[in-house]
Amino acid sequence: MIRMQFLSTRYQQYRDFLLALPARMDREGEYVYGGKRNLIKRFTAPDGEQLIVKRFHRPRFLNILVYSWGLRKPKGERACRYAAVLRDHHIGTPEPIAYIEERQGGLLRESWLITSQCPYGHLLYEMGTAEPEVYEPVAHALAVFTAHMHDEGILHKDFSPGNILWDRKEDGNIVFSLVDINRMYFGDIDIHRGCANFARLWGPKRFIEILVRDYARQRHFDEEKAVVIALEARRKFWTRFRKKHDVPFQLEL
């Protein structure tokens, strides 16, 4: 049985359209991303708005019971709930529109999250090969964005280039939006947890140093200590990563 667990009030009139999207995922929609686990496609709503539909893979083994019995919220439901929290704290993330589940015999099979499409045209992957005139203003703006988020007691546990969209507005300000937000931490974020959160970011070492120093100033942390923590976390992450994968940018440790 497929049921809608959440529906945005502004989309009540399109309930039937949204409920039909799971059945259309395999044969319709514009492909956005898809690996072995999840599939993301773009659909056009009746009012012309572009929607993003993410289908989460079926839970396996014990996770079937963990998610089905409510011991832990399914990924799509978490992302939906967390999006509301982020937006309440003025942290950019696409608007959650609907969350849909398929269950058989009370057990969770598949789930879908439907959101608005973020209009920002850039990902932080670009920092991997960016010149100083590009990455410096992004580093300054990202420091302010992240400091605000951490001051609010919110931390994205997968703070990586593919999950941070950005763009430059007409007034010159750089803005950000977070995606793939089913893994979040809520609570006190000290200098260690906060600075280690930058470990997965791409870009030259100087990009990270500018970012961390600005972040430390925003949060009244010791700059030198913050840089040491961030660079050590970065070194550990990328040292592990490159044992099994090619590093997709020129890495400075």
Side-chain angles (χ1 to χ4, degrees):
M1 176 184 294
I2 293 181
R3 291 193 309 171
M4 187 173 288
Q5 303 290 86
F6 166 80
L7 176 62
S8 168
T9 54
R10 77 181 182 91
Y11 257 80
Q12 295 288 338
Q13 60 184 320
Y14 299 130
R15 181 184 183 87
D16 292 342
F17 167 81
L18 296 172
L19 273 171
L21 288 178
R24 299 170 56 190
M25 283 285 286
D26 286 326
R27 67 179 188 276
E28 298 178 42
E30 181 184 349
Y31 177 88
V32 175
Y33 171 84
K36 295 180 179 179
R37 297 167 63 84
N38 305 317
L39 175 66
I40 302 176
K41 285 193 169 182
R42 182 182 295 106
F43 287 85
T44 302
D47 64 356
E49 180 178 358
Q50 296 296 296
L51 305 181
I52 297 297
V53 184
K54 181 173 184 178
R55 181 176 68 197
F56 294 87
H57 72 97
R58 294 186 178 191
R60 301 175 63 191
F61 309 121
L62 287 178
N63 278 339
I64 295 177
L65 302 181
V66 170
Y67 291 142
S68 300
W69 293 352
L71 301 177
R72 192 180 186 202
K73 298 296 184 184
K75 292 181 179 180
E77 183 177 349
R78 273 182 276 147
C80 191
R81 291 172 179 264
Y82 295 166
V85 174
L86 264 61
R87 292 170 68 87
D88 283 346
H89 287 268
H90 306 288
I91 299 166
T93 195
E95 178 188 4
I97 290 174
Y99 170 64
I100 301 172
E101 285 186 355
E102 178 190 11
R103 291 180 179 251
Q104 294 181 3
L107 298 179
L108 179 67
R109 303 293 289 174
E110 290 182 334
S111 57
W112 297 262
L113 176 65
I114 305 172
T115 71
S116 60
Q117 176 178 279
C118 177
Y120 302 164
H122 301 275
L123 292 171
L124 277 190
Y125 287 124
E126 297 170 26
M127 298 303 103
T129 57
E131 296 296 327
E133 61 267 24
V134 175
Y135 71 67
E136 287 179 6
V138 172
H140 294 307
L142 184 60
V144 175
F145 174 83
T146 311
H148 165 68
M149 180 167 60
H150 291 181
D151 280 341
E152 295 294 308
I154 299 170
L155 180 143
H156 195 320
K157 295 176 74 173
D158 190 5
F159 201 61
S160 54
N163 294 334
I164 308 169
L165 287 72
W166 68 278
D167 219 330
R168 189 185 298 272
K169 301 179 72 174
E170 290 184 1
D171 61 7
N173 288 328
I174 295 174
V175 289
F176 300 92
S177 182
L178 302 178
V179 297
D180 201 6
I181 58 172
N182 57 281
R183 295 177 62 241
M184 305 291 290
Y185 168 82
F186 299 96
D188 182 60
I189 301 168
D190 61 13
I191 186 172
H192 294 278
R193 189 187 294 270
C195 293
N197 200 214
F198 299 116
R200 298 187 179 197
L201 297 183
W202 291 22
K205 189 175 181 179
R206 185 167 178 270
F207 167 72
I208 302 299
E209 291 176 340
I210 292 172
L211 167 60
V212 174
R213 287 187 182 279
D214 270 14
Y215 169 83
R217 284 193 288 270
Q218 290 288 324
R219 302 201 67 204
H220 309 291
F221 291 153
D222 180 272
E223 287 185 40
E224 300 304 324
K225 183 178 180 179
V227 170
V228 169
I229 293 170
L231 292 183
E232 177 61 14
R234 181 174 186 260
R235 184 192 64 79
K236 288 181 178 179
F237 174 80
W238 287 105
T239 298
R240 291 194 305 268
F241 183 92
R242 67 182 177 182
K243 288 180 179 179
K244 296 183 179 180
H245 311 279
D246 292 331
V247 177
F249 64 99
Q250 186 174 352
L251 180 61
E252 301 170 87
L253 293 179

